[in-house]
Amino acid sequence: MTRAALLVCPTSGKGRAARLAGTVAARLRTAVDSLDLHVAGSAEGTADLARQAVDDGVDVLVVLGGDGGAHLGVQACAGTSTALAVVPAGTGNDLATALGTTSVDDVVRALHEGRTRPLDLGRLGDGTWFATVLCAGFDSAVNERANGMRWPAGPRRYDLAILAELATLRPEPLVVATENGRLELDALLVAVGNTGSYGGGIPVCPDADDADGLFDITVVAAAPRRTLLRMLPTLRTGRHVDHPAVRTLRAKSVTLSGPGWVGYADGERLHALPLEVSCRPAALTVVSAQVGA
């Protein structure tokens, strides 16, 4: 018998999750033996309901929402026997994309076929988990601006936020320390990727593998604004890693430090650097529709 809980984040996608909840619940009930529906009006309430469902022993926690809701689901399911599934209804939906679940039909199909797999997670020093990308610098500023924008919907919001933040962009001192060494430079952004993409599909760490026990780390060093403008189109293709201003590293753990930097993970604001994070192999079981998963 498969017991599942559907966790609805009603404000995700400017109310899209709330509008889809009934349809999604009906579709999921065709793939599980029982389904409990949980709806919360705040992030705190969503986190509490996720923990309650996991503590109650459900086999699968399905999050209907964006990366923020998925992030809360990760906190509840990490290190437990409860599998996490994500039905995308937010702005970026990067974790759902990494899992290949771009719709409820993908989740239903994966549940029917019993398609689950282990996923590595990042673990911060304060115990917070993240599933996709931890970032700081320019990309954090873009996240902050995009989160405050009411228009447009979807990934296009991140594109406009990028252009707006370029106007005030300036490098800051950054230290990236891993088990393999220490990198000190003036930089514009740093991204620690468990999966490859953030910001609605921007492959900032294009070669990241969420099952290899390692982070892919992308650092963009100080460069003239005109150079960055020429680099921007390559962000959508992953070719930015070939640029001379870009450094890439791989590591099991990393400490980021530097004045003026604020960290984000899974699109959620953390706090100012320093941040310590380690890769925890197979820390989460996920429902995945990826071919070969």
Side-chain angles (χ1 to χ4, degrees), residues 107 109 113 116 131 145 163-164 173 182 187 208 223 238 269:
V107 173
R109 189 177 306 111
E113 297 174 359
T116 62
R145 180 177 289 271
L163 292 175
R182 181 182 176 93
R269 196 179 201 275

Side-chain angles (χ1 to χ4, degrees), residues 133 135 138-139 162 188-193 195-198 201-208 216-221 223 227-249:
V133 177
C135 62
F138 175 63
D139 34 14
I162 286 172
L188 297 169
L189 72 83
V190 57
V192 180
T195 61
S197 297
Y198 65 0
I202 298 171
V204 66
C205 300
D207 297 322
D216 278 31
I217 305 166
T218 299
V219 184
V220 178
T227 299
L228 296 173
L229 284 169
R230 288 196 297 269
M231 189 192 300
L232 275 180
T234 67
L235 275 173
R236 283 289 179 186
T237 63
R239 294 296 303 276
H240 60 283
V241 296
D242 299 326
H243 195 279
V246 177
R247 301 283 298 273
T248 58
L249 312 167

Side-chain angles (χ1 to χ4, degrees), residues 84-102:
L84 178 69
V86 182
V87 177
T91 300
N93 304 312
D94 288 295
L95 181 56
T97 300
L99 302 182
T101 55
T102 59

Side-chain angles (χ1 to χ4, degrees), residues 26-266:
R27 290 287 292 120
L28 290 172
R29 287 192 173 99
T30 68
V32 298
D33 296 295
S34 67
L35 180 75
D36 296 325
L37 180 61
H38 302 288
V39 183
S42 67
E44 294 79 8
T46 301
D48 289 341
L49 288 174
R51 284 193 297 268
Q52 289 172 22
V54 172
D55 290 344
D56 192 40
V58 297
D59 300 299
V60 182
L61 177 67
V62 184
V63 175
L64 173 59
D67 284 320
H71 179 75
L72 297 176
V74 167
Q75 309 312 307
C77 295
T80 77
S81 60
T82 298
L84 178 69
V86 182
V87 177
T91 300
N93 304 312
D94 288 295
L95 181 56
T97 300
L99 302 182
T101 55
T102 59
S103 70
V104 65
D105 289 337
D106 290 328
V107 173
V108 168
R109 189 177 306 111
L111 288 170
H112 274 303
E113 297 174 359
R115 293 175 64 83
T116 62
R117 67 178 178 92
L119 186 84
D120 296 346
L121 292 177
R123 176 84 158 176
L124 280 85
D126 64 1
T128 301
W129 300 93
F130 73 92
T132 57
V133 177
L134 180 150
C135 62
F138 175 63
D139 34 14
S140 293
V142 168
N143 249 312
E144 198 144 88
R145 180 177 289 271
N147 288 343
M149 293 169 64
R150 300 180 62 84
W151 179 91
R156 179 65 177 158
R157 182 180 303 173
Y158 291 99
D159 294 335
L160 293 183
I162 286 172
L163 292 175
E165 286 300 324
L166 275 173
T168 58
L169 183 63
R170 62 185 62 182
E172 300 284 354
L174 175 71
V175 178
V176 181
T178 73
E179 71 272 16
N180 303 313
R182 181 182 176 93
L183 177 65
E184 298 186 43
L185 74 170
D186 287 342
L188 297 169
L189 72 83
V190 57
V192 180
N194 181 52
T195 61
S197 297
Y198 65 0
I202 298 171
V204 66
C205 300
D207 297 322
D209 181 343
D210 58 36
D212 67 355
L214 295 169
F215 293 128
D216 278 31
I217 305 166
T218 299
V219 184
V220 178
R225 190 170 282 107
R226 63 181 179 275
T227 299
L228 296 173
L229 284 169
R230 288 196 297 269
M231 189 192 300
L232 275 180
T234 67
L235 275 173
R236 283 289 179 186
T237 63
R239 294 296 303 276
H240 60 283
V241 296
D242 299 326
H243 195 279
V246 177
R247 301 283 298 273
T248 58
L249 312 167
R250 307 193 83 200
K252 295 178 181 178
S253 61
V254 59
T255 299
L256 305 176
S257 55
W261 297 77
V262 175
Y264 269 70
D266 293 339

